Amino acid sequence: MRYRSRLTAPAALLGTAAALTAGVPAHAATGGPTAKRPVRAPSPGPETLGDPVYPSLGNDGYRVSAYDLDLAWDAGNRIVTGTATLLITTTRELNRFSLDALGLDIRSVRVNNTPATYAQSGEKLRVTPATPLAANVAARVTVLYSADPRRALAHTAWVPTPDGFAVCPQPNSAHTVFPCNDHPADKADFSCRITVPAGLRGVASGNLVSTETLADGRKAYYYRSASPLATEVVQITVGDYVVKERPGPHGLPLRDVVPTARAAALEPALALTPRQMEWVEARLGAFPFETYGLLPCNSDDPAAFDFTGLETQTLTLYKPNFLLQEEKKIGSHMMHELVHSYFGDSVSPATWADLWLNEGHADYYGLLYRYERGWPDSLGLTTLEARMKHTYALGDQWRAQSGPVASPTAANLFDSQRYLGGVLVLYALRQRVGQGVFDAIERAFLARHRNSAASTKDFIAVASQTAGEDLSGFLTEWLYGTKTPRMPGHPDWTVTPVSSSFAAPPSRSAKPHDNSATL
């Protein structure tokens, strides 16, 4: 229903606009017969959304309301052929617009079922419709293309496996899988049909709507999400998988997508999810999506999969061998990824400078989960207060190395400052307002920005309104200051001075979550 209503919404808006001018003389509606208004010819849409971390990511002049992908996996040639249909709504007159696309072999582009001229330039697919698009109108863009998941690219979302693939789009690589407006601020409805050879299964974010067995023995799986997605958390996977279903809290259907040969060995880890979900719902409210589960991708190749987990919406991607460990070694990180369903998926970052909202919250609750169970962290500490005292001492060093918590660059986006540095900000806020108000802030922020994107400024506004006091100065100092502020309630805590030995940025991995304190 959501998908269909999003498709018809623009027409309804146009109808409202017509009604507002009904009965008004033509000259009044247009500014009068002698009014002189400048006539501005349609122009190309900007090829950026102005992100402070990835300025070339995303495109302006339109917004996407829905993606519908129709993909087919050729296991012999290991090629994906696809049709991506985007429903867009223009925000200005356009004689040309662009999509993000890298490593895709484009075969044709149509706009409103009419062939369009197109050209690929860098990571942009420039589309020139046969007729310029007016402002505030809906348009259907259809792109036929193919992709090789093994292709060497500057960056890629593809995770090749022995029998198929999975995708890891975060932060800026969804457009290596399908043409899109690849920025988390432009969330959209999502559906995907995946056709695979007999013996394999295709799975995507959302719920399975239907299956179809084709005349040649191939099988098609059709998935649709009940909530909008940011492109960076889309999941599409093909392989020799079995789907294991189990009930979650209050009847929420859970489903794990597991390599068939490893299903029994992975069951102890999969069985942890219902209890973990009860724990997080008690703190953050009802789970925001229609389903949840784990995808232990059928590959442990570090060259293709050099991180532990990724919070793709409704289906968290994992390295299988990680989940074969005992609970105390995986439970807190599983909680980290589960919390991302709230902070990161349901509420997406408005820009990549707001990443601390995702990672700080995920680490905060992951650490709480760990310490409640008496599991020592990587430093041997067993309380949040002890870990925060240790982190506080590093505050100025991290600010010198990686910038303030909410001021990352592309080079240090996934440094510890966005993870534990974000936890330290949340701990300071809790110390300032008290546990009860802090919990209320968390729930209010999630409720206000559910199924949308939110900025650091938005979080500060919700915190101030909920606390009944202006917290902008306090939080701005913690998030953007070059020096670590005093910790409320702990006047004895000290910050280690920055020395020349910390002049260079810390080493980091190229993929997200390697710096999670919950590992």
Side-chain angles (χ1 to χ4, degrees), residues 14-334:
L14 291 175
T16 301
L20 290 174
T21 58
V24 179
H27 67 272
T30 59
T34 60
K36 294 183 179 180
R37 292 190 174 185
V39 177
R40 184 169 60 184
S43 59
E47 296 183 352
T48 177
L49 284 173
D51 190 275
V53 178
Y54 294 108
S56 64
L57 203 60
N59 308 275
D60 212 348
Y62 66 90
R63 290 295 181 267
V64 182
S65 56
Y67 292 96
D68 184 36
L69 305 183
D70 191 346
L71 308 178
W73 170 239
D74 183 335
N77 294 321
R78 299 189 65 83
I79 297 294
V80 174
T81 57
T83 301
T85 302
L86 291 70
L87 181 68
I88 69 172
T89 301
T90 60
T91 58
R92 56 188 288 178
E93 291 183 290
L94 295 172
N95 63 6
R96 192 185 77 197
F97 61 90
S98 56
L99 303 173
D100 296 306
L102 174 65
L104 305 179
D105 297 316
I106 307 299
R107 300 180 178 181
S108 69
V109 180
R110 301 175 74 87
V111 177
N112 292 330
N113 208 33
T114 300
T117 304
Y118 64 92
Q120 292 179 266
S121 176
E123 299 191 22
K124 300 296 181 179
L125 172 62
R126 294 171 176 161
V127 178
T128 303
T131 303
L133 300 176
N136 303 313
V137 299
R140 189 179 301 273
V141 182
T142 306
V143 183
L144 274 63
Y145 69 100
S146 63
D148 183 348
R150 303 161 298 175
R151 178 176 292 175
L153 300 170
H155 58 93
T156 184
W158 296 104
V159 180
T161 64
D163 50 10
F165 62 85
V167 298
C168 170
Q170 194 186 79
N172 62 336
S173 296
H175 62 280
T176 65
V177 178
F178 59 99
C180 57
N181 202 27
D182 199 1
H183 194 278
D186 195 11
K187 300 175 75 164
D189 289 341
F190 178 79
S191 59
C192 184
R193 183 178 188 263
I194 316 168
T195 302
V196 298
L200 299 182
R201 182 183 287 266
V203 183
S205 297
N207 276 330
L208 179 64
V209 176
S210 64
T211 61
E212 178 185 3
T213 301
L214 307 182
D216 59 6
R218 293 183 302 159
K219 200 162 187 177
Y221 298 85
Y222 182 65
Y223 284 81
R224 186 165 60 199
S225 176
S227 302
L229 284 83
T231 52
E232 50 108 1
V233 292
V234 165
Q235 182 55 253
I236 306 166
T237 187
V238 169
D240 181 10
Y241 291 120
V242 60
V243 175
K244 305 186 74 171
E245 299 179 342
R246 70 192 78 230
H250 46 80
L252 179 74
L254 304 180
R255 57 92 172 84
D256 301 303
V257 179
V258 192
T260 301
R262 290 176 145 185
L266 287 164
E267 179 56 27
L270 308 178
L272 298 174
T273 299
R275 191 175 69 227
Q276 292 172 347
M277 191 164 283
E278 290 175 353
W279 187 92
V280 76
E281 285 196 335
R283 287 151 183 82
L284 298 178
F287 188 72
F289 300 123
E290 66 272 28
T291 187
Y292 182 71
L294 309 187
L295 168 61
C297 178
N298 194 19
S299 175
D300 283 301
D301 180 3
F305 199 11
D306 60 352
F307 60 97
T308 300
L310 183 72
E311 67 278 9
T312 45
Q313 191 162 312
T314 72
L315 193 60
T316 293
L317 182 66
Y318 274 106
K319 187 178 292 186
N321 282 348
F322 174 76
L323 294 175
L324 295 177
Q325 302 176 91
E326 59 183 326
E327 182 182 2
K328 67 180 181 181
K329 292 185 177 181
I330 63 174
S332 60
H333 187 73
M334 291 178 67

